[in-house]
């Protein structure tokens, strides 16, 4: 009887904690969506469930000549897809080399990856600004893409290397006995088995440009090059600006491409999130 009561209390505690976290996560989201439906533009006096709700702010974002929202959305998608694809390709090649090859400096390279993860990106902002200015890539999407790709390598390469280490080497040896080369082994054996962790890397690098504000703020200067985070910030930061409802509408739409990519990769994500970094 006591054991049954204990199990019931544990279930109540687990589901109660999940319910609390569910409310904490969804409450701001519901407020943001409700704010975007308010007919006015001010944050004060807005209701979570407005009486005279309207989609006019969403319409304004896409149809008004004064709105650069579509340009910002296009810029963000370009950066997100380029950073995601570029990071995944480079991380895969680096992780494969560290996992399967033995070369001088290999151990130090792994330690360097661990060391670089300990320092926040903000520490390199001045160096990044000066470097991009010297090569003429300041205020350009290409410069932003290169920084995202380069910054993703240490953490993700170490993660993918750990996943590659869990794949038996006997598979590589069998393929080489049949005449397969290094790239044949990578593309026909390693990559199909590593889809879960590569999906995680692709998704996280795709999400970064949508969420990041500081790096675009430092690199980008022209409004036509802004990403969504930087452009939407001006809705509430510019002089005499009070466009909180438009800001909320634009923020809600950010979730659309992220949700679409997540749904495409969801069958691989659970396995990938619980794997990797298990072997050194």
């Amino acid at each position: 009887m006591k054991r049954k009561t204990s199990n019931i209390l544990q279930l109540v505690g687990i589901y109660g904690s999940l319910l609390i976290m569910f409310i904490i996560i969804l409450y701001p989201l519901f407020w943001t969506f409700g704010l975007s439906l308010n007919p006015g533009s001010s944050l004060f006096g807005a209701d979570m469930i407005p009486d005279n709700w309207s989609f006019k702010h969403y319409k304004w974002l896409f149809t008004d000549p004064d709105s650069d929202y579509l340009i910002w959305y296009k810029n963000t998608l370009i950066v997100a897809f380029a950073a995601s694809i570029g990071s995944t390709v480079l991380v895969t090649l680096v992780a494969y080399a560290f996992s399967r090859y033995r070369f001088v400096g290999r151990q130090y390279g792994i330690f360097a990856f661990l060391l670089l993860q300990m320092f926040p990106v903000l520490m390199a902002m001045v160096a990044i600004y000066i470097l991009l200015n010297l090569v003429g890539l300041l205020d350009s999407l290409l410069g932003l893409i290169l920084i995202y790709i380069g910054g993703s390598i240490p953490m993700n390469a170490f993660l993918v290397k750990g996943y590659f280490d869990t794949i038996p080497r006997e598979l590589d040896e069998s393929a080489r006995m049949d005449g397969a080369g290094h790239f044949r082994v990578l593309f026909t054996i390693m990559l199909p088995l590593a889809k879960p962790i590569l999906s995680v890397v692709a998704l996280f690098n795709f999400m970064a440009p949508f969420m990041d504000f500081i790096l675009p703020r430092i690199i980008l200067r022209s409004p036509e090059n802004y990403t969504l985070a930087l452009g939407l910030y001006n809705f509430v930061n510019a002089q005499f600006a009070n466009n909180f409802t438009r800001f909320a509408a634009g923020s809600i739409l950010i979730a659309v491409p992220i949700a679409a990519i997540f749904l495409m990769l969801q069958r691989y994500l659970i396995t990938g999130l619980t794997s990797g970094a298990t072997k050194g």
Side-chain angles (χ1 to χ4, degrees):
M1 188 65 180
K2 290 183 178 180
R3 185 176 181 181
K4 183 177 181 180
T5 304
S6 176
N7 291 337
I8 293 175
L9 291 176
Q10 288 180 1
L11 288 175
V12 170
I14 292 173
Y15 284 106
S17 300
L18 290 175
L19 179 61
I20 293 173
M21 293 302 299
F22 187 75
I23 294 173
I24 292 174
I25 293 172
L26 286 185
Y27 182 74
L29 180 61
F30 283 143
W31 246 114
T32 305
F33 182 67
L35 180 63
S36 70
L37 298 180
N38 277 265
S41 61
S42 175
L43 180 64
F44 300 100
D47 298 319
M48 184 174 180
I49 305 178
D51 296 329
N52 300 318
W53 58 273
S54 171
F55 287 99
K56 70 175 187 178
H57 300 304
Y58 293 93
K59 181 179 179 181
W60 181 90
L61 291 174
F62 290 101
T63 60
D64 195 282
D66 295 330
S67 173
D68 293 328
Y69 187 76
L70 286 178
I71 297 176
W72 302 337
Y73 218 116
K74 181 192 70 173
N75 293 340
T76 308
L77 287 174
I78 292 173
V79 174
F81 277 110
S84 179
I85 296 172
S87 298
T88 305
V89 171
L90 286 180
V91 163
T92 300
L93 296 176
V94 171
Y96 179 67
F98 275 94
S99 175
R100 288 304 194 255
Y101 300 153
R102 295 295 179 267
F103 50 88
V104 177
R106 174 181 176 275
Q107 200 68 28
Y108 293 109
I110 296 174
F111 289 151
F113 287 160
L114 290 173
L115 185 63
L116 290 172
Q117 296 176 43
M118 299 171 60
F119 298 98
V121 181
L122 284 174
M123 294 183 63
M125 288 301 178
V126 175
I128 289 173
Y129 182 90
I130 295 175
L131 178 62
L132 291 180
N133 190 36
L134 288 175
V135 298
L137 291 178
L138 197 64
D139 192 23
S140 71
L141 296 181
L142 178 59
L144 186 62
I145 291 170
L146 292 177
I147 296 302
Y148 278 131
I149 293 176
S152 69
I153 291 177
M155 171 64 185
N156 292 320
F158 184 78
L159 190 68
V160 177
K161 175 202 171 294
Y163 195 96
F164 280 166
D165 288 344
T166 65
I167 300 175
R169 293 179 178 270
E170 288 78 7
L171 297 176
D172 303 23
E173 296 170 358
S174 298
R176 289 196 174 92
M177 290 179 63
D178 293 334
H182 296 295
F183 282 100
R184 183 75 178 272
V185 171
L186 173 63
F187 287 106
T188 60
I189 295 178
M190 303 293 287
L191 292 187
L193 295 175
K195 284 181 181 178
I197 195 65
L198 296 180
S199 298
V200 173
V201 172
L203 178 62
F204 284 175
N205 284 284
F206 181 83
M207 291 170 55
F210 287 92
M211 307 299 179
D212 188 23
F213 168 78
I214 297 178
L215 187 58
R217 179 68 173 173
I218 294 174
I219 295 176
L220 304 178
R221 291 290 180 269
S222 305
E224 63 271 15
N225 290 332
Y226 283 176
T227 59
L228 280 172
L230 185 55
L232 289 175
Y233 175 72
N234 291 329
F235 278 4
V236 295
N237 181 64
Q239 189 176 16
F240 309 118
N242 191 24
N243 298 316
F244 285 96
T245 47
R246 292 174 182 173
F247 175 87
S251 301
I252 289 293
L253 293 175
I254 289 177
V256 175
I258 297 176
I261 298 297
F262 176 82
L263 291 175
M264 291 172 56
L265 302 177
Q266 64 174 335
R267 59 177 176 168
Y268 304 116
L269 291 176
I270 295 178
T271 305
L273 286 170
T274 56
S275 304
T278 57
K279 294 185 179 181

